[in-house]
Every structure is written in structure tokens, then in C-alpha cells.
């Protein structure tokens, strides 16, 4: 009897705080993360950093940024001091003000240090800075992310190729560059446990790789190993795919919240890639049906993910990914 009570109390709720943007219409930031996580059994608390009518990718939007002092007040006084919430996971994404995000990071790090013994709070940090060589935040944000990654205990960091290049001050053109960027990242930010580069456009010269493939790679700082995976490029551009990927990766890494990881890092990455791939394909199919006769664009820009219409995909709890993770051997490829 005592054992069963102990086991029950030990098993933590899947309770997550997601600090990201909010759009009234569409699915990016918190709107891309919340439904998939809730659907997969997570209790999700959202702290919205901005409220926009729609994703800026539309070309125009209305809305506002929440004042930083209000956001830190909600986190520190409301959620942590008053409600005394013990989150098992924290997800952070788009944040509009560098100073505000620094303050948020200090609160989260303090929470981590105060509860080290009985709290297994895992921080998944998506360093939203830009894409394809273009920053979409102020330049000061790059330095703030570097500071935060140096000081804070991060469970998993998910930059895209451009963000990885900014954070490690180097260019990534080959698989070896990618490996070296992980090694450098680990040297610069030793408190980050796992790193996943979500979308890399590099040529794999060592085999008959398809030009149009996306490379996703991960680095486990416990084993010092990099794995990479090729996924076929779907002929469309999507908004919110990165936010969806990070949310599903969080779920795959922390599904079982007894502090034990169910999947290895590369398995969690493979399963997340598979789910995202299926949701993006479903979104594209529905977009084509909706726009039949009115579009002949070979690579449409799809502004809103069809997340609700993809819930049958979110039902797949333990997917068998058709993709393969290859362990990179720095002695073979150079
Ligand atoms: N056009 C696409 N074809 C196939 N997969 C895609 C495509 N766009 C995004 N993805 C998937 O979404 C994930 C996140 O990619 P992306 O949205 O580019 O990330 P980020 O927002 O971090 O730049 C990728 O790892 C990939 O699995
Ligand atoms: C408000 C907001 N949220 C989220 C994102 C991230 O979107 P994506 O996943 O398409 O890169 C952006 C990027 O432009 C943004 O401006």
C-alpha cells in the first residue's frame, strides 16, 4: 500500500509552461504548440509574449507586445510564488524584448536551482532569431541568447541552421561543419544537454543524396555523438512548422515524466520528424483541395497549418518513423 502511494505521488503530471507568441488567427508560436501538446496529454499553461492578428509572414498584421514587466510579474508572482506551480517542462520561443527575456531566464534558472532535488523541470529553448540568413528579432537578442545559453541549465535547444551559425559564429556548408558547430556549441554552452538543428540545407557529398532533402541533426552532450537524418522536402513553405516540431519533440523526449527518458535523443527526433512530415503533407493536400483551379504555384506559401484537421496524426502516440538516423563518424567524413 505504502509503495503504491509513493509510486503515485512520484509520478509527476505532464505539466508544461509555454512562453511564446499568440496569434488570434492561425497556428504559430503558442497556437502551434498548445493543441498538439494537449492532444497528447499535456496540461499546457500559456504565457503569451505578443498578441498579433496573424503571423507576420502574411506581410501585414495588427497587434501588440505585452510589456516585459507584466510578463515577469505573471511568471514570478502569479505562477511561481502564489500558485507554487512545479512545471515538468518549460518551452520558450519567440520573445520580443531582449531585456525582458533575460529577466525571464533569471527567474527560470532560479526556479531550477531552488528545486534541483525534487523538481525535474526541463527547459526546452527554441532560440527564435531568424531564418535563411535574415534576423526577425532585434540584433540585441543574439547576445541575450548567448548569455542565457551560457548561464542557464537547458535540457534541449532547437536552433535552425541560421540560428546555429549565429550562436557559434561560423558557417555551416558541410556535414563536417555541422559536426564542428555542435562541438563548438557544447564548448561555449556546456549547460545545454541536447542540441537539435531543425532544418539544414547542406549537400551530403558522401552518398547519392537527393538535393531536395532537409537535414535534421542532433547532438547528445552525454555521449558526444551526432546523428543526422534526411527527410524529403515537401514542395511548399509553411509557417509554424518549427514551433510544431519543437512541441512534438518535447513530447517525444518527456512523454514519461518520471524523470526517465523513454526515447533516445535521435529516436525522439525521428518520431517528431515523422509526425511533422505527416501533418505538413496533410496541410498541403487540404490546401490544394481548397484552392483547386486557383493556384498553379509549384511551391505554395501555406500560411496556416491544418492542425485540427490533422488530429488523426496526433493520435499516433508511438510512431514508427520510416526515417533513419545515421551516426556521424568524424574520422570517416572530413
Ligand atoms: N517544406 C518542408 N518539407 C518537409 N519538411 C519540412 C518542411 N518545412 C519544415 N519541415 C519540417 O519542419 C521542421 C522544422 O523546420 P522549420 O520550420 O524550417 O524550422 P524553424 O522554424 O526552426 O526554421 C523540419 O525539421 C522539418 O522536419
Ligand atoms: C510572432 C512569431 N511567432 C512565431 C514565429 C516562428 O514561426 P516559424 O515557426 O514559422 O519560424 C515567428 C517568426 O516569424 C513570429 O514572428
Amino acid at each position: 500500500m505504502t509503495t503504491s502511494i509513493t509510486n503515485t505521488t512520484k509520478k509527476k503530471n505532464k505539466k508544461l509552461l509555454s512562453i511564446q507568441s499568440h496569434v488570434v488567427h492561425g497556428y504559430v508560436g503558442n497556437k502551434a504548440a498548445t493543441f498538439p501538446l494537449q492532444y497528447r496529454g499535456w496540461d499546457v499553461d500559456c504565457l503569451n509574449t505578443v498578441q498579433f492578428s496573424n503571423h507576420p509572414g502574411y506581410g501585414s498584421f495588427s497587434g501588440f507586445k505585452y510589456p516585459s514587466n507584466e510578463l515577469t510579474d505573471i511568471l514570478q508572482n502569479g505562477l511561481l510564488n502564489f500558485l507554487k506551480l512545479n512545471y515538468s517542462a518549460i518551452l520558450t520561443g519567440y520573445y520580443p524584448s531582449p531585456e525582458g527575456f533575460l529577466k525571464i531566464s533569471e527567474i527560470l534558472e532560479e526556479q531550477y536551482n531552488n528545486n534541483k532535488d525534487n523538481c525535474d523541470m526541463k527547459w526546452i529553448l527554441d532560440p527564435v532569431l531568424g531564418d535563411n540568413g535574415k534576423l526577425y528579432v532585434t540584433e540585441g537578442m543574439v547576445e541575450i541568447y548567448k548569455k542565457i545559453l551560457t548561464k542557464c541549465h537547458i535540457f534541449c535547444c532547437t536552433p535552425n541552421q541560421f540560428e546555429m551559425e549565429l550562436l557559434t559564429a561560423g558557417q555551416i556548408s558541410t556535414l563536417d561543419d555541422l559536426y564542428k558547430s555542435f562541438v563548438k556549441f557544447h564548448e561555449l554552452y556546456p549547460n545545454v544537454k541536447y542540441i537539435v538543428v531543425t532544418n539544414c540545407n547542406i549537400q551530403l557529398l558522401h552518398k547519392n543524396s537527393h538535393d531536395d532533402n532537409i537535414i535534421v541533426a542532433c547532438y547528445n552532450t552525454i555521449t558526444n555523438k551526432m546523428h543526422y537524418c534526411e527527410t524529403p522536402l515537401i514542395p511548399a513553405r509553411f509557417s509554424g512548422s518549427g514551433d510544431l516540431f519543437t512541441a512534438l519533440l518535447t513530447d517525444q523526449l518527456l512523454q514519461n515524466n518520471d524523470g526517465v527518458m523513454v526515447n533516445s535523443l535521435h529516436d525522439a527526433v525521428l518520431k517528431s520528424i515523422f509526425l511533422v512530415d505527416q501533418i505538413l503533407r496533410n496541410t498541403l493536400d487540404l490546401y490544394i483541395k481548397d484552392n483547386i483551379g486557383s493556384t498553379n504555384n509549384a511551391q505554395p506559401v501555406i500560411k496556416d497549418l491544418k492542425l485540427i484537421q490533422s488530429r488523426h496524426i496526433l493520435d499516433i502516440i508511438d510512431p514508427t518513423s520510416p526515417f533513419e538516423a545515421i551516426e556521424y563518424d568524424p574520422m570517416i567524413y572530413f
Side-chain angles (χ1 to χ4, degrees):
M1 187 66 186
T2 320
T3 319
S4 92
I5 289 170
T6 314
N7 283 344
T8 319
T9 40
K10 248 182 100 181
K11 195 172 171 85
K12 295 223 169 65
N13 286 332
K14 296 206 297 186
K15 187 141 192 57
L16 177 144
L17 173 65
S18 182
I19 307 176
Q20 302 196 57
S21 54
H22 172 77
V23 286
V24 176
H25 175 82
Y27 296 96
V28 298
N30 266 340
K31 282 283 291 288
T34 306
F35 177 72
L37 283 165
Q38 287 175 331
Y39 204 74
R40 295 170 76 82
W42 286 86
D43 248 327
V44 183
D45 287 357
C46 290
L47 183 55
N48 297 326
T49 55
V50 299
Q51 173 155 215
F52 294 163
S53 52
N54 51 272
H55 187 273
Y58 269 79
S60 174
F61 65 97
S62 302
F64 56 87
K65 301 169 180 177
Y66 285 101
S68 280
N69 60 328
E70 303 286 1
L71 294 173
T72 48
D73 180 49
I74 292 176
L75 176 63
Q76 184 145 46
N77 297 326
L79 302 174
L80 301 178
N81 291 349
F82 174 63
L83 292 172
K84 303 215 178 308
L85 291 165
N86 250 338
Y87 292 104
S88 35
I90 308 281
L91 187 54
T92 60
Y94 180 81
Y95 205 99
S97 124
E99 303 74 28
F101 195 50
L102 189 61
K103 185 77 191 118
I104 292 278
S105 76
E106 285 161 4
I107 300 169
L108 293 177
E109 183 63 8
E110 194 186 328
Q111 175 78 355
Y112 176 91
N113 286 322
N114 289 347
N115 294 284
K116 237 188 227 154
D117 297 334
N118 60 357
C119 161
D120 59 349
M121 183 190 99
K122 307 239 176 357
W123 182 355
I124 294 87
L125 179 146
D126 188 3
V128 179
L129 290 169
D131 207 355
N132 297 315
K134 261 177 62 187
L135 271 183
Y136 40 58
V137 292
T138 57
E139 263 185 38
M141 204 67 186
V142 181
E143 290 314 306
I144 290 298
Y145 268 115
K146 288 182 181 170
K147 227 181 200 172
I148 291 171
L149 289 165
T150 309
K151 284 202 316 204
C152 300
H153 288 85
I154 311 289
F155 181 67
C156 183
C157 181
T158 57
N160 60 29
Q161 177 176 356
F162 176 57
E163 290 157 349
M164 187 67 169
E165 289 175 341
L166 287 171
L167 294 170
T168 56
Q171 240 202 319
I172 302 170
S173 312
T174 64
L175 208 51
D176 199 52
D177 291 343
L178 183 57
Y179 175 75
K180 285 179 178 144
S181 77
F182 278 124
V183 173
K184 183 152 181 210
F185 190 104
H186 182 44
E187 275 167 19
L188 292 169
Y189 317 115
N191 289 330
V192 181
K193 193 168 181 187
Y194 300 130
I195 312 139
V196 179
V197 176
T198 52
N199 190 343
C200 234
N201 182 10
I202 50 173
Q203 294 286 319
L204 297 187
L205 299 173
H206 63 281
K207 69 183 189 88
N208 293 331
S209 159
H210 200 281
D211 274 357
D212 278 345
N213 283 351
I214 290 175
I215 311 291
V216 184
C218 58
Y219 188 80
N220 182 337
T221 65
I222 313 298
T223 58
N224 290 323
K225 283 189 168 46
M226 164 173 130
H227 284 81
Y228 66 95
C229 163
E230 286 181 79
T231 166
L233 183 79
I234 301 165
R237 295 196 56 190
F238 303 91
S239 290
S241 42
D243 305 326
L244 173 67
F245 177 85
T246 306
L248 290 172
L249 178 67
T250 301
D251 176 54
Q252 287 300 329
L253 287 171
L254 304 174
Q255 263 174 13
N256 170 346
N257 234 317
D258 295 342
V260 182
M261 251 173 76
V262 250
N263 291 312
S264 64
L265 174 65
H266 58 271
D267 274 341
V269 168
L270 285 182
K271 288 175 186 187
S272 310
I273 293 174
F274 170 70
L275 291 173
V276 172
D277 176 83
Q278 293 296 297
I279 293 170
L280 298 187
R281 283 177 197 281
N282 190 44
T283 299
L284 178 59
D285 287 349
L286 294 172
Y287 174 89
I288 291 169
K289 269 188 205 144
D290 286 351
N291 291 280
I292 211 147
S294 62
T295 179
N296 55 3
N297 190 341
Q299 205 189 14
V301 177
I302 301 182
K303 292 172 179 126
D304 301 317
L305 297 174
K306 297 281 188 193
L307 270 191
I308 310 302
Q309 299 85 337
S310 298
R311 58 192 183 279
H312 58 287
I313 298 160
L314 294 169
D315 270 330
I316 313 169
I317 293 300
D318 190 22
T320 309
S321 180
F323 304 120
E324 189 193 358
I326 300 170
E327 185 185 326
Y328 180 77
D329 182 349
M331 302 307 284
I332 295 179
Y333 308 108
F334 52 86

